[in-house]
């Protein structure tokens, strides 16, 4: 099994729908992150969580929310999806000691909003 | 202006060539400098990291950091078709608002043809 598992791998949804992307990890890491990747823009941070009770906004959090259900689970929700949220979404984890460089990424969720 | 700038390419080279990938940055607080490699339909994987200025070598890969110029490079010697991927530079700061978070460049798409 992968260290960081994201579900679903692919999703097509309609404008205005609520959608949840899920992430679970077996690394035992405290820190979890959600990034989106767009062509020409690289990876941009949406939300991050340093532990279950510590959740913070990243640089592009508008239109998104998150839930840290347990140390191993971190979900990203789009409350009302819009077409410009079409992107590749990645979940990542790190432990405190390696948080400056040692991220482990999932394989991504490709989301299309039509 | 983005904090980290990376030429997106694409870059196409023949097998055996020396490849040079580069990033510039504006945040002088960055102290950790990383290179991630991302294969198609996969999440980024950490290739190398460097703390502060200097060089680091790992097999065919050499990372260089010049903090005075705010410029980092990744060199790939004897490039192989299996090196074909997107290469992302990333940086983080030990303190301040960037603490514990990675800021990524746009990524450079590299193709090594036989």
């Amino acid at each position: 099994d992968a260290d960081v598992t994201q579900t679903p791998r692919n999703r097509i949804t309609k404008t205005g729908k609520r959608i949840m992307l899920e992430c679970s990890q077996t690394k035992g890491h405290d820190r979890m992150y959600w990034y989106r990747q767009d062509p020409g823009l690289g990876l941009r941070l949406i939300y991050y969580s340093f532990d279950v009770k510590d959740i913070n906004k990243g640089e592009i959090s508008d239109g998104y929310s998150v839930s840290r259900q347990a140390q191993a689970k971190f979900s990203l929700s789009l409350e009302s999806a819009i077409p410009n949220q079409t992107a590749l979404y990645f979940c990542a984890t790190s432990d405190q000691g390696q948080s400056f460089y040692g991220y482990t990424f999932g394989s991504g969720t490709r989301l299309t909003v039509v | 202006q983005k904090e980290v700038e990376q030429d997106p390419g694409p870059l196409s080279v023949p097998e055996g060539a020396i490849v040079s990938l580069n990033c510039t940055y504006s945040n002088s607080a960055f102290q950790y400098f990383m290179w991630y490699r991302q294969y198609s339909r996969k999440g980024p994987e950490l290739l190398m990291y460097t703390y502060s200025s200097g060089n680091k070598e790992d097999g065919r890969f050499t990372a260089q950091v010049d903090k005075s110029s705010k410029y980092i490079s990744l060199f790939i010697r004897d490039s192989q078709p299996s090196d074909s991927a997107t290469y992302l530079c990333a940086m983080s700061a030990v303190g301040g608002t960037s603490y514990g978070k990675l800021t990524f460049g746009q990524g450079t798409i590299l193709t090594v043809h036989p």
Side-chain angles (χ1 to χ4, degrees), chain B:
Chain B
Q1 182 187 4
K2 288 177 67 69
E3 280 189 298
V4 180
E5 296 280 358
Q6 182 177 5
D7 185 344
L11 189 59
S12 180
V13 301
E15 183 175 354
I18 296 174
V19 176
S20 173
L21 304 169
N22 312 290
C23 289
T24 59
Y25 64 95
S26 58
N27 187 346
S28 57
F30 288 144
Q31 294 196 45
Y32 282 88
F33 304 91
M34 292 135 270
W35 288 95
Y36 280 79
R37 180 174 60 195
Q38 183 179 19
Y39 290 115
S40 181
R41 305 283 296 163
K42 297 289 187 181
E45 297 174 290
L46 180 66
L47 195 58
M48 299 178 69
Y49 79 92
T50 307
Y51 174 70
S52 194
S53 286
N55 296 352
K56 188 171 186 178
E57 188 173 321
D58 183 1
R60 297 184 294 110
F61 298 88
T62 299
Q64 291 185 350
V65 174
D66 181 349
K67 291 190 71 178
S68 62
S69 301
K70 295 188 176 66
Y71 187 86
I72 72 169
S73 301
L74 177 71
F75 297 96
I76 307 174
R77 291 184 300 279
D78 187 25
S79 56
Q80 302 295 310
S82 58
D83 295 328
S84 298
T86 297
Y87 289 80
L88 298 137
C89 64
M91 307 177 188
S92 66
V94 175
T97 58
S98 298
Y99 174 77
K101 298 177 288 182
L102 300 189
T103 301
F104 286 85
Q106 295 92 319
T108 299
I109 301 170
L110 171 67
T111 301
V112 181
H113 51 85

Side-chain angles (χ1 to χ4, degrees), chain A residues 12-71:
Chain A
I12 300 174
T13 192
K14 292 184 178 181
T15 297
K17 293 291 188 182
R18 185 179 189 275
I19 182 171
M20 179 182 289
L21 309 182
E22 299 189 357
C23 176
S24 62
Q25 53 115 345
T26 58
K27 300 283 287 184
H29 288 167
D30 288 328
R31 301 184 174 195
M32 299 187 73
Y33 310 81
W34 276 104
Y35 282 86
R36 67 176 277 177
Q37 186 175 33
D38 300 275
L41 295 177
L43 286 152
R44 293 180 293 166
L45 182 62
I46 306 172
Y47 270 95
Y48 62 102
S49 171
F50 282 177
D51 66 44
V52 175
K53 296 183 178 180
D54 179 25
I55 294 178
N56 305 278
K57 293 181 178 181
E59 60 179 304
I60 54 163
S61 59
D62 287 348
Y64 301 95
S65 63
V66 291
S67 172
R68 185 84 184 263
Q69 300 95 325
Q71 184 199 39

